[in-house]
Amino acid sequence: MTSPLLALCAALALGMAVPAASAPAAPAHKPPAAAGGMVRDVSPESAQALKRMSAYLAALGPFQVTSNANLDLVLDDGEKIQTGGVTTYKVKGPDAFVISTAWDRQSRDFIYDGKHLTVYAPKLGFYATAAAPPTIRQTLQAVDERFGIQLPLADLFRWAEPGGEQLNKLTSGFLVGQATVDGVETDQYAFRQESADWQIWIQRGDQPLPRKVVIVDRKDPAHPQFVATLDWDLHPTFTADTFAFKPPADAHAIRLAGQ
């Protein structure tokens, strides 16, 4: 995951109520630490789980997912303040999405129609539109590289990419055990990389959907945490206007930094 707290917070990005998860059926076995305390062991089972989940998400037809999340904000003196919000994703692959975020003190909409990406701040009344590549995957990469905008949940779709670039960033990964998230049976996995510890709960069975994500920022001594639960609709109803941005009469167009 690339700058996980920044990526999920920037648009964000990925705020929520955390459901209770059942205890694992058996004690989790964490790989032994290498010299210096750095763990460099990703179990084949955990790596395969990420790739299977990512491939499944990439192959989905139209879907809608709602993320409920909480994020720790760290003050100058180290005190942590929690903020929360809801993010809704409407996706029609391979060339359309709407991501709407509503956090306690900020809201943003991201609208991609296959040709343009629009970023809209409804509370402020400003929007910006830029040309975008013809696919969702290319657009996610382009807006990050060109404008520094990291859209929420983008990393969930990248674990199955050729070359294993994302997997190579992991220093450890293992199965914690079985757990229940909002009544759904899942497998809980824990991972570590240079700047973050994170966990993911993946639905069991033939629909390996991510149901919960926890990210801890290890670069910050306060270890702020991001927690999100995900509610999926794999048979949504979209109209022709769902992915078309029509600015309100009182909205003002501005330029994205980098345009």
Side-chain angles (χ1 to χ4, degrees), residues 17-22 178-188 200-203 210-213 228-230:
V18 185
S22 64
Q178 297 180 24
T180 302
V181 178
D182 286 344
V184 177
E185 292 298 318
T186 69
D187 288 318
Q188 177 185 358
I200 190 165
W201 285 252
I202 300 176
Q203 182 170 322
R211 289 289 181 173
K212 181 178 174 181
V213 179
T229 56
L230 308 176

Side-chain angles (χ1 to χ4, degrees), residues 19-246:
S22 64
H29 173 67
K30 184 172 183 176
M38 176 64 76
V39 175
R40 297 191 182 280
D41 189 355
V42 180
S43 73
E45 179 183 23
S46 63
Q48 181 58 34
L50 289 180
K51 290 191 286 186
R52 180 171 178 259
M53 174 194 71
S54 182
Y56 179 77
L57 293 177
L60 284 178
F63 68 86
Q64 179 170 320
V65 57
T66 301
S67 163
N68 293 282
N70 289 322
L71 174 69
D72 291 335
L73 303 178
V74 182
L75 305 183
D76 291 342
D77 63 0
E79 182 177 0
K80 288 190 285 190
I81 302 296
Q82 188 177 88
T83 184
V86 176
T87 301
T88 301
Y89 311 80
K90 299 177 181 179
V91 180
K92 181 177 70 67
D95 59 1
F97 64 68
V98 174
I99 303 174
S100 298
T101 68
W103 284 68
D104 292 338
R105 281 163 289 279
Q106 175 176 291
S107 59
R108 294 288 186 274
D109 294 339
F110 301 85
I111 304 97
Y112 170 62
D113 62 5
K115 297 181 179 179
H116 300 90
L117 176 72
T118 298
V119 183
Y120 174 49
K123 292 183 179 180
L124 301 176
F126 294 106
Y127 69 93
T129 300
T135 69
I136 292 174
R137 187 176 296 275
Q138 291 171 323
T139 296
L140 293 175
Q141 181 176 353
V143 297
D144 184 5
E145 294 176 351
R146 184 176 176 187
F147 304 115
I149 297 176
Q150 296 172 312
L151 298 178
L153 284 183
D155 284 328
L156 294 179
F157 297 83
R158 294 175 176 160
W159 297 104
E161 289 181 348
E165 180 180 350
Q166 291 292 98
L167 288 172
N168 290 338
K169 297 177 182 178
L170 300 175
T171 58
S172 77
F174 62 99
L175 173 66
V176 176
Q178 297 180 24
T180 302
V181 178
D182 286 344
V184 177
E185 292 298 318
T186 69
D187 288 318
Q188 177 185 358
Y189 296 89
F191 297 93
R192 169 167 285 190
Q193 53 196 78
E194 181 180 4
S195 61
D197 291 340
W198 56 280
Q199 301 170 67
I200 190 165
W201 285 252
I202 300 176
Q203 182 170 322
R204 309 191 82 201
D206 59 0
Q207 294 182 317
L209 296 165
R211 289 289 181 173
K212 181 178 174 181
V213 179
V214 174
I215 304 171
V216 178
D217 185 350
R218 289 173 43 236
K219 283 189 174 181
D220 190 321
H223 290 173
Q225 180 172 265
F226 169 85
V227 181
T229 56
L230 308 176
D231 183 27
W232 294 83
D233 179 358
L234 302 186
H235 303 286
T237 300
F238 298 142
T239 68
D241 294 333
T242 299
F243 306 99
F245 177 69
K246 298 179 180 179

